[in-house]
Amino acid sequence: MEILRVFVILFHLIGFAAALFLVMREDLRLLRAEWLDFAEIEATARDVSRALMVLFVTGVLVIYIDTGFSAAEIFARPKLLAKITVVLILTLNGVLLHWLVFPMLRQRPRRFLRARARLVVALGAVSSVSWVYAAFLGIAKPLTDPLGYAGFITAYAVLLAGAVTVAVVFIAPHAELLLFGMRQAGRRVTTQTI
């Protein structure tokens, strides 16, 4: 069973590395963008979804190998509970991005532009922090006893609050320009033409 666990974790790490790379690349691209490329955003979203599926399958397998899905065993592992919490928040955030933000980006918003920009960057901040925090949890075994579940989740909540605040205050104005300068009459409109 230990050999199987090693290979499952290897595929888990590959899926995680791919997803983290894609998310960070897209975040950096959007920070520097002068216009939104929907095809690029949707392609990245599809690739991240595939990587997330690999992570779900391999993560569930590791949990099964380590705990046999025993509730008592799972609840006795604060770091595992923190990972599960972060993955659930990351998944919910992904659902909101796919069902709410991406369709919204396809429209040419005129109303509530500032609120839409804030929503986009806030969900982006939650995504980025969650992916990086999941990586941190993967190596945080020495901190399990001192922090416990409450400590891990408190640190995560503080990071989320900080990232969302920075995104809304400093990045939302750029996102607002991107949203305002979206495609018009089938052509790309850059923020420089506004």
Side-chain angles (χ1 to χ4, degrees):
M1 204 60 133
E2 198 60 36
I3 292 173
L4 175 62
R5 186 180 190 280
V6 167
F7 282 104
V8 171
I9 288 180
L10 174 64
F11 284 106
H12 192 73
L13 289 173
I14 290 169
F16 181 82
L20 183 62
F21 167 77
L22 291 165
V23 167
M24 294 300 157
R25 183 190 68 186
E26 195 62 32
D27 286 351
L28 290 173
R29 185 183 327 219
L30 289 173
L31 284 174
R32 297 185 327 222
E34 293 183 5
W35 54 275
L36 293 175
D37 184 343
F38 298 116
E40 189 93 25
I41 291 169
E42 289 173 343
T44 299
R46 277 191 305 275
D47 291 342
V48 170
S49 295
R50 290 182 188 117
L52 192 56
M53 289 307 299
V54 169
L55 290 171
F56 271 128
V57 170
T58 56
V60 167
L61 281 171
V62 170
I63 291 170
Y64 173 73
I65 291 168
D66 289 353
T67 69
F69 294 138
S70 161
E73 185 69 28
I74 291 170
F75 282 101
R77 298 176 179 224
K79 189 174 76 114
L80 176 59
L81 284 177
K83 279 184 191 178
I84 291 169
T85 302
V86 171
V87 167
L88 290 174
I89 291 170
L90 188 58
T91 303
L92 176 61
N93 191 69
V95 167
L96 289 173
L97 284 168
H98 284 269
W99 290 355
L100 184 65
V101 171
F102 294 158
M104 181 186 71
L105 292 177
R106 279 253 173 234
Q107 304 167 1
R108 180 152 170 80
R110 287 283 184 212
R111 302 179 62 201
F112 311 113
L113 199 58
R114 182 164 289 138
R116 289 175 187 224
R118 287 179 179 167
L119 175 65
V120 168
V121 299
L123 292 178
V126 169
S127 176
S128 295
V129 167
S130 297
W131 284 105
V132 172
Y133 200 74
F136 164 74
L137 287 172
I139 61 166
K141 188 171 186 173
L143 300 174
T144 301
D145 288 336
L147 290 179
Y149 177 78
F152 281 128
I153 295 305
T154 300
Y156 177 57
V158 168
L159 290 170
L160 280 178
V164 169
T165 300
V166 167
V168 167
V169 171
F170 296 106
I171 300 171
H174 176 68
E176 194 173 339
L177 288 174
L178 285 175
L179 290 173
F180 185 77
M182 289 188 337
R183 296 174 191 233
Q184 184 178 32
R187 63 185 180 86
R188 294 175 180 161
V189 178
T190 69
T191 56
Q192 296 169 347
T193 62
I194 295 174

